[in-house]
Amino acid sequence: MKTRSFTHTINPFCAVIPGQVIGAVGVGRVVDSRHPDFKTGDLVSGWLSWAEYTIVTDYQLLQKLDVNMGFPLSYYAGGVLGHAGLAAYGGLFKVCKPKKGEKVFVSAASGSVGNLVGQYAKLFGCYVVGCAGTKEKVDLLKETIGFDAAFNYKEETNFNAALQRYFPEGIDIYFDNVGGEMLEAAVQNMNLFGRIAVCGMISEYTDTQKKAKPDIVQVIYKRIKIEGFLAIDLNDIYPEFVSTTVQYLQTDKLKVIEDMSYGVESIPSAFVDIFRGNNIGKKVVKIAED
Amino acid sequence: MKTRSFTHTINPFCAVIPGQVIGAVGVGRVVDSRHPDFKTGDLVSGWLSWAEYTIVTDYQLLQKLDVNMGFPLSYYAGGVLGHAGLAAYGGLFKVCKPKKGEKVFVSAASGSVGNLVGQYAKLFGCYVVGCAGTKEKVDLLKETIGFDAAFNYKEETNFNAALQRYFPEGIDIYFDNVGGEMLEAAVQNMNLFGRIAVCGMISEYTDTQKKAKPDIVQVIYKRIKIEGFLAIDLNDIYPEFVSTTVQYLQTDKLKVIEDMSYGVESIPSAFVDIFRGNNIGKKVVKIAED
């Protein structure tokens, strides 16, 4: 089967499996197919090549899209209705099981998953604070996305003190997108029975010296749960995720933050942007117009 | 209320809350009481002083013992029918949720909790390997307690390689009593959806430089759950724990390993033994005969 690509997303995971070439999560239209489930003209999402056209031979992760609701195709390309949304929704509700009024901390909070975690948590009735790496991102979190507070971690010399300031009553849930020192500081500030969903560790990707040493004494005394997860394991929550998210999108309760670049020639710089923290929201490469 | 002590247990937790004096978990007989629930002559377990007699003013953690089954009093003093047993049973079944045939690794496996975790896991149908710090302990685990295998961690230069050798198919459950490097090595060898119950970190108590840096990349990819817990949170599993354990004891399926010393004068050396790893099984100080 051959597809023509429209939008691809950049995922840091693609870069960290040594020696393995992984495609992007993309949306495309079938231009030729000998597979009975896919017809010419179908819109599909799944693993596509970093290219304008892809020959698909592994159909397992490919799915036909129902785009009748009129949302942009990028929403499905690993975005708010794709794996970023599912990771945010499932990581928050299935892994962390929040209660209304609980205090939620999100790192890399302006990123593709982080901003959605914060929005879902706010809509659910939690107190939400995020951290990010520029003033622009922090302003976006507070003013546009509706976090209760946000701070620039690059301006903090002591993460532990920063979290004490923003969470005088402690943290109940930490949605970790960065690992490293911020994870250690979060453990220091967790409440009893705190839950940490580990979704990313961008600080550890880019500097292997920054490995977190969470205080295990605190993990025991405070009965903290630290759980790694991937969006692919959250399929049982997928229908709930889609119906809730579509409803939020249709009623304008959920803001979609995308960072778009154009053409296959922008792929390398898009990757570098992710690791430098230059993206705000979901990084999307638009390959072609539909 | 005043009690006379018979047996006390040593718990490393008692030593790590700075500035706070904590009694021992002990069993005693009431010699005088003005509390309606406790009469002179009742046997009780709970927090008692490190002394021959205790004035009890906080009744919350005190409970009357039903000792009609004829087990030694030490079993109730934080032992196999007390919090060590509950921590082992609840930590294994409630926190780690084993399936038959799964591979279980236990550190400090000859300790009060560790040896019971291994025995419960074996009786349930798991493959169990433990590590300990002397040949005598390793022999005990293999020959008396019935672990599938055991090794002396002090003879291993590379914990990661040791675990690969004992778990060629990977570890499903790690019951962590030590923290530090062994926790890091366990994470390296965990299978997908592995569970780590963190019950102790004796290596980190005694050397704060030994803080574990578990590989968070692996925690995510392998969807590992790391969970701290205390026996006091496991009350909902208490009736099941007692009935199962009593049945195992009455049918001689569970071996009880106690390391007994005698008299209040042995308390300081009993504490030091715990931190030096000199104890085998539950460390119990016998204060007086009933």
Side-chain angles (χ1 to χ4, degrees):
Chain A
M1 188 179 93
K2 188 172 169 185
T3 64
R4 181 166 189 219
S5 288
F6 299 122
T7 55
H8 282 175
T9 64
I10 306 277
N11 183 335
F13 277 101
C14 301
V16 295
I17 303 183
Q20 202 174 334
V21 176
I22 291 188
V25 174
V27 168
R29 194 178 289 282
V30 178
V31 293
D32 185 32
S33 169
R34 283 160 213 170
H35 190 290
D37 295 348
F38 301 96
K39 305 261 174 298
T40 301
D42 281 349
L43 276 166
V44 292
S45 74
W47 288 109
L48 305 179
S49 308
W50 284 114
E52 291 177 296
Y53 292 89
T54 301
I55 305 289
V56 177
T57 53
D58 179 0
Y59 296 90
Q60 276 192 327
L61 293 169
L62 204 69
Q63 59 183 147
K64 235 189 303 199
L65 285 186
D66 171 13
V67 291
N68 290 330
M69 282 174 290
F71 297 124
L73 292 183
S74 59
Y75 284 19
Y76 302 94
V80 62
L81 289 169
H83 69 244
L86 181 58
Y89 189 92
L92 179 65
F93 292 107
K94 194 177 164 193
V95 178
C96 296
K97 299 184 178 67
K99 299 181 196 76
K100 283 186 207 308
E102 282 196 320
K103 315 286 185 284
V104 177
F105 174 50
V106 187
S107 56
S110 74
S112 62
V113 176
N115 87 82
L116 293 172
V117 171
Q119 293 191 71
Y120 285 127
K122 277 299 297 174
L123 288 163
F124 181 72
C126 293
Y127 171 81
V128 180
V129 178
C131 71
T134 67
K135 182 179 183 305
E136 185 190 2
K137 291 176 181 179
V138 168
D139 290 347
L140 180 89
L141 290 172
K142 289 193 290 190
E143 288 155 25
T144 308
I145 310 205
F147 278 48
D148 292 291
F151 64 93
N152 183 345
Y153 72 89
K154 290 180 182 164
E155 289 176 356
E156 301 292 340
T157 50
N158 181 331
F159 291 169
N160 190 11
L163 291 179
Q164 274 172 20
R165 214 162 60 234
Y166 286 100
F167 292 94
E169 295 168 28
I171 300 168
D172 299 301
I173 289 173
Y174 173 39
F175 198 101
D176 182 15
N177 292 303
V178 302
E181 278 176 62
M182 196 61 87
L183 175 54
E184 295 172 23
V187 166
Q188 292 294 323
N189 286 278
M190 291 304 278
N191 287 332
L192 291 187
F193 301 101
R195 291 133 276 158
I196 300 178
V198 194
C199 182
M201 56 285 147
I202 195 84
S203 79
E204 298 190 17
Y205 282 135
T206 46
D207 183 347
T208 54
Q209 294 306 305
K210 286 190 175 170
K211 278 201 188 308
K213 292 177 292 212
D215 185 340
I216 300 292
V217 177
Q218 302 233 9
V219 170
I220 299 177
Y221 278 117
K222 300 200 291 200
R223 291 81 123 184
I224 294 170
K225 187 170 77 173
I226 302 174
E227 190 166 350
F229 75 98
L230 295 178
I232 54 170
D233 305 318
L234 300 167
N235 281 338
D236 56 337
I237 211 171
Y238 185 81
E240 177 193 325
F241 149 68
V242 168
S243 79
T244 305
T245 305
V246 163
Q247 197 193 335
Y248 282 157
L249 288 169
Q250 285 172 334
T251 52
D252 282 331
K253 286 184 179 155
L254 203 63
K255 307 274 184 301
V256 178
I257 314 290
E258 290 178 340
D259 189 332
M260 193 85 78
S261 64
Y262 298 89
V264 285
E265 62 276 17
S266 74
I267 291 167
S269 65
F271 251 105
V272 171
D273 277 351
I274 284 275
F275 287 97
R276 290 204 176 139
N278 292 344
N279 63 305
I280 297 189
K282 187 68 195 169
K283 185 81 207 177
V284 179
V285 179
K286 191 154 206 167
I287 307 286
E289 296 292 339
D290 189 5
Chain B
M1 188 178 95
K2 189 173 170 185
T3 64
R4 178 160 192 227
S5 289
F6 299 122
T7 54
H8 282 175
T9 62
I10 306 279
N11 183 334
F13 277 101
C14 301
V16 295
I17 303 183
Q20 203 174 331
V21 177
I22 291 188
V25 174
V27 168
R29 194 179 290 281
V30 178
V31 291
D32 184 32
S33 169
R34 284 160 212 170
H35 191 290
D37 294 349
F38 300 95
K39 306 259 173 298
T40 301
D42 282 350
L43 277 165
V44 292
S45 75
W47 289 109
L48 304 179
S49 307
W50 283 113
E52 292 178 295
Y53 292 89
T54 302
I55 305 289
V56 177
T57 53
D58 180 0
Y59 297 89
Q60 276 193 326
L61 294 169
L62 204 69
Q63 58 183 147
K64 233 187 307 197
L65 286 185
D66 171 13
V67 291
N68 290 330
M69 282 175 292
F71 298 124
L73 291 184
S74 59
Y75 285 20
Y76 303 94
V80 62
L81 288 170
H83 69 247
L86 182 57
Y89 189 93
L92 179 66
F93 292 107
K94 194 175 163 193
V95 178
C96 297
K97 299 184 178 69
K99 298 182 197 76
K100 282 185 208 308
E102 280 196 321
K103 315 287 185 283
V104 176
F105 174 50
V106 186
S107 55
S110 73
S112 62
V113 177
N115 87 82
L116 293 172
V117 171
Q119 293 190 72
Y120 284 127
K122 277 299 297 174
L123 288 163
F124 182 73
C126 293
Y127 171 81
V128 180
V129 178
C131 71
T134 67
K135 182 178 183 307
E136 185 191 1
K137 292 176 180 178
V138 168
D139 290 346
L140 180 90
L141 291 172
K142 289 193 289 191
E143 287 154 25
T144 308
I145 310 205
F147 278 49
D148 292 291
F151 64 93
N152 183 346
Y153 71 90
K154 289 181 182 163
E155 288 176 357
E156 301 292 339
T157 51
N158 182 332
F159 291 168
N160 190 12
L163 291 179
Q164 274 172 20
R165 213 162 63 233
Y166 286 100
F167 293 94
E169 296 168 27
I171 300 168
D172 298 302
I173 288 173
Y174 173 39
F175 198 101
D176 182 16
N177 292 303
V178 302
E181 278 176 60
M182 197 60 87
L183 175 54
E184 295 172 21
V187 166
Q188 292 294 323
N189 286 278
M190 292 303 280
N191 286 331
L192 291 187
F193 302 101
R195 289 133 275 156
I196 300 178
V198 195
C199 182
M201 55 285 147
I202 196 83
S203 79
E204 299 190 16
Y205 282 135
T206 47
D207 183 348
T208 54
Q209 295 306 305
K210 286 191 174 169
K211 279 201 187 309
K213 292 178 292 217
D215 185 340
I216 300 292
V217 177
Q218 301 232 11
V219 170
I220 299 177
Y221 279 118
K222 300 200 291 200
R223 292 81 123 185
I224 294 170
K225 186 171 76 172
I226 302 174
E227 190 165 351
F229 75 97
L230 294 178
I232 54 170
D233 305 319
L234 299 167
N235 281 338
D236 57 337
I237 211 171
Y238 186 81
E240 177 193 324
F241 149 67
V242 169
S243 79
T244 306
T245 304
V246 164
Q247 199 194 332
Y248 283 158
L249 288 169
Q250 285 172 336
T251 53
D252 282 331
K253 286 184 177 154
L254 203 62
K255 307 273 184 303
V256 178
I257 314 290
E258 290 178 341
D259 190 332
M260 193 86 75
S261 64
Y262 298 90
V264 285
E265 62 277 16
S266 74
I267 291 167
S269 65
F271 251 105
V272 172
D273 278 352
I274 283 276
F275 288 95
R276 290 206 176 137
N278 292 345
N279 63 304
I280 297 190
K282 186 68 194 169
K283 185 81 206 176
V284 178
V285 179
K286 192 156 204 164
I287 307 287
E289 297 292 338
D290 189 5

